[in-house]
Amino acid sequence: MAALVGSVILLVATTVSMVNKGAEQRAEQDARAVATVLLADQAIDSAVVRAMAIVEVATAQTDLEAVTRSFGDTAEACITAASVDRCTGPDLGASNIFGGAVAASVESGGPAVAVDDATDSLLVVSHGEVTTALILPADSLLGALASSAVERNEAAIDVAVSSDIIEVNGDNPIRVGPSSVDGRLIVTDTLALPGDGGSVRVTTSIADDVGLGGDDLALYLLLLGFGTVLMALAGWTFLLDRRSLKRQATTDDLTGLPNRREFERQTEEALLAAERFKTGVCVMLIDLNGF
């Protein structure tokens, strides 16, 4: 009985330990996914703030390459003044959202941010004596430093901008997840852009590979196997002992025949069966004196 109880305790303890180990791995993976999306959030916030600061201090003499340098090769800028009209690429003043961004800049007295849904880009504009416009594709908002950190976390990042205005609690993003989809652990944050300029959706995903492996798996399998074998041996021994005790209680040691107590039990059963099924019972008594 002690061995049987001990084997059950071993199996239960091992199973609970495996479940706890899986829960720890899940918590660690969730934390890694959330940390990755937070890193992306900070990088995007920093890029937007930096872009607003750059266009606000730009002058007619500012080098346009200096305006776009920190945002990668896909960023474009334009500076327009009374005697200056320069662009690194296409004329951003022809954008269908340029007028609204300029109006927002005039109203706020500082730089304004608008979303161009058609090109999945942010347009940052500062209007004054000099009008400076900077357009940033969504994939340039993350930056090289944050992208390398995301790669080290073995994660994938998707950044998309939208003109939809959202309401958030302070600086906290609207978060969905972590949730497991098609073998990936996904977390999505939605950030509000300054001045009701729209929103940015950041989606990060990492491989959902929670599970035991290597030495941990081998150890748990060993414990489970040992506990199963121990329980089987204990159970078999317990059954043999029960059979032995039953045989000793019902059998005559000398002849191997049922003893008096067992004979009376069997006789009582036979009489009850005969009464129930309306049959007879035959008892033969043999005198063994002098045997």
Side-chain angles (χ1 to χ4, degrees), residues 23 27 35 70 77 140-141 145-147 151 193 200 213 237 241 244 247 288 291:
S70 63
S140 69
L141 296 174
L145 185 61
S147 297
E151 290 180 2
L193 290 171
V200 181
T237 303
D241 288 343
S244 176
R247 186 172 60 252
L288 293 180
F291 175 74

Side-chain angles (χ1 to χ4, degrees), residues 26 28-34 36 150 153-156 179-181 183-187 204-209:
R26 167 60 67 192
E28 179 182 352
Q29 200 164 46
D30 287 352
R32 186 157 62 94
V34 171
T36 303
V150 169
N153 284 343
E154 298 178 348
S179 57
S180 182
V181 179
R184 303 286 294 180
L185 193 63
I186 298 176
V187 183
T204 182
S205 66
I206 61 176
D208 187 8
D209 53 2

Side-chain angles (χ1 to χ4, degrees), residues 113 115 117 162-168 174 190-200:
V113 179
V115 171
D117 290 320
S162 172
S163 57
D164 295 338
I165 299 173
I166 63 170
E167 294 184 4
V168 297
I174 299 174
T190 304
L191 315 172
L193 290 171
D196 294 333
S199 58
V200 181

Side-chain angles (χ1 to χ4, degrees), residues 3 9 31 35 76 78 149-150 168 195 209 217 224 238 248 273 288-289:
I9 292 175
E76 303 288 352
C78 289
V150 169
V168 297
D209 53 2
L217 179 60
L224 287 175
F238 180 72
Q248 292 177 17
L288 293 180
N289 288 337

Side-chain angles (χ1 to χ4, degrees), residues 74-133:
T74 57
E76 303 288 352
C78 289
I79 292 180
T80 304
S83 59
V84 176
D85 191 356
R86 295 181 293 132
C87 293
T88 59
D91 182 9
L92 301 182
S95 171
N96 57 358
I97 63 170
F98 181 78
V102 169
S105 177
V106 172
E107 181 179 354
S108 65
V113 179
V115 171
D116 187 354
D117 290 320
T119 60
D120 198 28
S121 302
L122 289 186
L123 180 66
V124 185
V125 176
S126 178
H127 181 69
E129 293 183 2
V130 175
T131 300
T132 306

